[in-house]
């Protein structure tokens, strides 16, 4: 550790504390402004040139908008089409009909588990939001329900999506760790599925049942209206079938899953793999999902295209603020990464004498928490431990890859785009968001590590 490393770590900590203070204190600064102000402050505090600060702000916000913002916008359009067609209403009614209030979180966990196999966390959440809101709104109408129905239904979804995102290939984090450590997909995927089950149960239905009665969270009414109130029928025909609606909702996930399977089975130069890669890209998959929903749920039923255009335009208004705040989070993350905070974390962890499975989790956790990027955590931890992985034949490399993925999930907070997406989508305060996504992902990360150590002791697969 050098004095510069200490300065960088203290700067990262101070920046997060300042960000929270600006938002929750009497200043009540808008999150986007607070994120940009703190990002600029980090740049000057770490000695960046003004021109470089401006460049990194644009790069961070632009990269996040490109990878997440457009997908969220398309997801909002898809959700609006499904809501107006009555699909989410019918699915929500079916879930509540076949599951008691106590079993609803378990049903939502199962749905999110399936959706989360191919989908990134942010993409999976935007796809699930209409169903979360529809189910929660129905629960809220029950006089016996106490607390926030939206937290009760949403926490299991957040838990399942996070567990799948960090633990199970073909998500980019686990695949990156697998490639860097030169291990195999099969055992890592099996370990990941087995570890994800208790992690998402403890972080989802069980924790959700504990925290929901203690919260009063409710999303913005405009967002609720968009996703839960069916507009007047666009045709004189009956509503489309639930099966067709489910297909429209899951088409992006199906395309991403096909891409994932193709990556594991086909040669890298295969034309079929290139086609699957294109169709399974989150942006293209969501675009195709929206187009399919337009054709299947509106056009073939004689829907009014002008009304549809107006409805899709209106669907973007409630999420515009969410997208911009997420972009601000991307700028903050980029500034911390460019300041080389990750290098300081690596230097810090080199002083620890810990078993590789625990060290991999710890490095990934510290890098992810400090830089706001799970990818940085995974790449840094896997790269640092790759020489050890090659030199120690007794080390279980699939478990090391899983441990690193779990560590990257810990305490998703104000420098993570996912934190802001959950906070703004559910209309939460900083404290409420911390009690939900930050604590949920921490539970998932810790349970994942416990499962890694358990598997290493009793069930070697490789």
């Amino acid at each position: 550790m050098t004095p510069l490393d200490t300065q960088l770590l203290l700067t990262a900590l101070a920046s997060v504390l300042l960000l929270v203070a600006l938002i929750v204190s009497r200043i009540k600064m808008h999150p986007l402004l607070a994120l940009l102000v703190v990002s600029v402050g980090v740049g000057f505090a770490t000695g960046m040139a003004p021109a470089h600060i401006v460049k990194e702000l644009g790069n961070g916000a632009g990269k996040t908008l490109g990878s997440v913002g457009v997908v969220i916008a398309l997801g909002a359009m898809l959700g609006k089409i499904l809501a107006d067609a009555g699909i989410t209403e019918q699915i929500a009614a079916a879930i509540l009909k076949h599951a008691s209030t106590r079993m609803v979180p378990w049903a939502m966990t199962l749905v999110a588990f399936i959706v989360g196999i191919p989908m990134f966390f942010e993409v999976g959440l935007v796809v699930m939001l209409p169903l979360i809101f529809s189910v929660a709104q129905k629960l809220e109408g029950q006089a016996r329900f106490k607390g926030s129905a939206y937290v009760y239904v949403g926490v299991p979804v957040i838990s399942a999506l996070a567990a799948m995102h960090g633990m199970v290939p073909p998500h980019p984090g686990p695949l990156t760790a697998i490639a860097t450590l030169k291990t195999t997909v099969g055992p890592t995927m099996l370990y990941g599925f087995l570890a994800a089950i208790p992690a998402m149960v403890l972080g989802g239905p069980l924790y959700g049942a504990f925290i929901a009665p203690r919260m009063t969270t409710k999303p913005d009414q405009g967002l609720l209206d968009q996703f839960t109130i069916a507009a007047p029928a666009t045709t004189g025909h009956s509503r489309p079938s639930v099966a067709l609606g489910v297909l429209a909702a899951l088409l992006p996930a199906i395309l991403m899953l096909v891409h994932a399977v193709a990556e594991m089975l086909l040669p890298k130069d295969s034309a079929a793999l290139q086609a699957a890669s294109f169709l399974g890209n989150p942006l293209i998959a969501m675009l195709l999902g929206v187009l399919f929903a337009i054709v299947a749920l509106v056009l073939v039923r004689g829907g009014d295209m002008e009304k549809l255009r107006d409805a899709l335009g209106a669907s973007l208004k409630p999420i515009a603020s969410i997208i911009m705040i997420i972009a601000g989070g991307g700028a903050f993350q980029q500034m911390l990464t460019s300041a080389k905070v990750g290098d300081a974390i690596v230097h810090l962890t080199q002083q620890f004498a810990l078993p590789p499975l625990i060290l991999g989790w710890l490095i990934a956790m510290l890098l992810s928490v400090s830089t706001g990027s799970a990818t940085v955590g995974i790449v840094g931890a896997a790269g640092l431990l790759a020489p050890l992985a090659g030199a120690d034949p007794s080390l279980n490399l699939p478990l090391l890859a899983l441990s690193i993925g779990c560590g990257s999930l810990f305490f998703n907070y104000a420098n993570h785009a996912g934190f802001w997406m959950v906070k703004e989508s559910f209309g939460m305060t900083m404290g409420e968001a911390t009690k939900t996504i930050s604590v949920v992902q921490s539970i998932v990360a810790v349970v994942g590590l416990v499962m890694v150590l358990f598997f290493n002791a009793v069930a070697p697969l490789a």
Side-chain angles (χ1 to χ4, degrees):
M1 287 283 292
T2 66
L4 178 60
D5 292 332
T6 303
Q7 178 188 344
L8 288 173
L9 294 176
L10 290 176
T11 299
L13 177 61
S15 67
V16 174
L17 295 177
L18 176 60
L19 175 64
V20 175
L22 289 174
I23 295 173
V24 305
S25 68
R26 291 185 178 181
I27 299 175
K28 299 294 183 185
M29 186 176 287
H30 188 277
L32 175 60
L33 295 177
L35 284 163
L36 293 177
V37 168
V38 172
S39 297
V40 172
V42 169
F44 282 118
T46 55
M48 292 186 191
H52 187 58
I53 292 174
V54 174
K55 178 182 178 182
E56 293 304 310
L57 282 176
N59 287 343
K63 182 171 62 177
T64 303
L65 282 176
S67 61
V68 177
V70 179
V71 173
I72 292 175
L74 291 171
M77 289 183 173
L78 179 58
K80 180 62 174 174
I81 296 171
L82 294 173
D84 284 359
I87 300 299
T88 49
E89 178 79 12
Q90 294 179 69
I91 296 175
I95 290 176
L96 292 175
K97 179 180 178 181
H98 295 93
S100 64
T101 301
R102 185 171 296 179
M103 292 303 296
V104 164
W106 298 89
M108 296 299 292
T109 300
L110 178 60
V111 175
F113 173 80
I114 295 171
V115 170
I117 292 175
M119 283 191 165
F120 300 171
F121 176 83
E122 291 86 358
V123 181
L125 183 60
V126 76
V127 168
M128 290 290 295
L129 279 178
L131 184 58
I132 293 172
F133 290 172
S134 295
V135 173
Q137 195 171 65
K138 288 181 177 296
L139 280 179
E140 195 177 36
Q142 299 178 4
R144 296 172 299 170
F145 192 87
K146 296 181 180 180
S148 172
Y150 300 92
V151 172
Y152 186 68
V153 177
V155 161
V157 172
I158 293 170
S159 178
L161 292 176
M164 300 305 291
H165 184 81
M167 297 185 187
V168 181
H171 290 283
L175 283 180
T176 299
I178 289 168
T180 304
L181 298 173
K182 295 182 171 57
T183 184
T184 51
V185 172
T188 308
M189 179 176 285
L190 180 56
Y191 278 134
F193 274 120
L194 294 175
I197 293 172
M200 66 186 185
V201 166
L202 288 172
L206 297 184
Y207 179 69
F210 167 77
I211 194 66
R214 295 163 173 80
M215 298 179 68
T216 57
T217 298
K218 185 173 182 177
D220 178 76
Q221 190 60 46
L223 205 58
L224 283 177
D225 292 345
Q226 173 177 321
F227 285 147
T228 61
I229 297 179
T234 55
T235 74
H237 303 289
S238 60
R239 287 179 172 180
S241 68
V242 175
L244 183 61
V246 170
L247 176 60
L250 293 183
L251 181 60
I254 294 171
L255 292 173
M256 292 183 200
L257 183 60
V258 170
H259 172 214
V261 173
E263 275 193 320
M264 291 186 288
L265 299 180
L266 298 177
K268 290 186 178 181
D269 58 351
S270 167
L273 176 58
Q274 295 179 14
S277 178
F278 174 75
L279 295 175
N281 178 278
L283 193 153
I284 299 299
M286 288 299 299
L287 175 60
L288 292 175
V290 172
L291 294 177
F292 177 81
I294 290 174
V295 173
L297 304 180
V298 181
L299 273 181
V300 299
R301 309 183 68 78
D304 187 325
M305 290 302 295
E306 185 172 350
K307 289 183 178 179
L308 175 63
R309 183 186 64 189
D310 293 342
L312 294 183
S315 73
L316 298 179
K317 295 178 182 178
I319 64 161
S321 177
I322 297 175
I323 292 176
M324 295 313 300
I325 291 172
I326 291 173
F332 185 33
Q333 172 193 318
Q334 180 67 32
M335 199 63 68
L336 290 172
T337 303
S338 298
K340 306 297 183 184
V341 173
D343 291 349
I345 292 293
V346 170
H347 297 158
L348 173 66
T349 56
Q350 286 174 338
Q351 303 179 53
F352 301 149
L354 295 171
L357 295 179
I358 297 177
L359 186 60
W361 186 94
L362 182 64
I363 296 173
M365 180 271 287
L366 291 173
L367 286 171
S368 177
V369 169
S370 61
T371 66
S373 172
T375 301
V376 170
I378 290 173
V379 171
L384 193 63
L385 295 178
L388 177 61
D392 185 358
S394 66
L395 183 58
N396 191 318
L397 297 185
L399 282 181
L400 181 58
L402 176 58
S403 176
I404 290 171
C406 292
S408 72
L409 295 173
F410 189 86
F411 205 71
N412 185 311
Y413 197 54
N415 52 353
H416 287 73
F419 175 89
W420 294 103
M421 183 173 178
V422 171
K423 177 186 179 299
E424 297 301 316
S425 296
F426 286 85
M428 294 176 173
T429 64
M430 291 291 289
E432 289 171 336
T434 303
K435 293 175 184 177
T436 50
I437 182 171
S438 301
V439 174
V440 166
Q441 294 208 188
S442 297
I443 293 172
V444 170
V446 171
V447 173
L449 175 61
V450 171
M451 295 303 296
V452 163
L453 299 177
F454 173 76
F455 292 146
N456 189 56
V458 302
L461 294 178

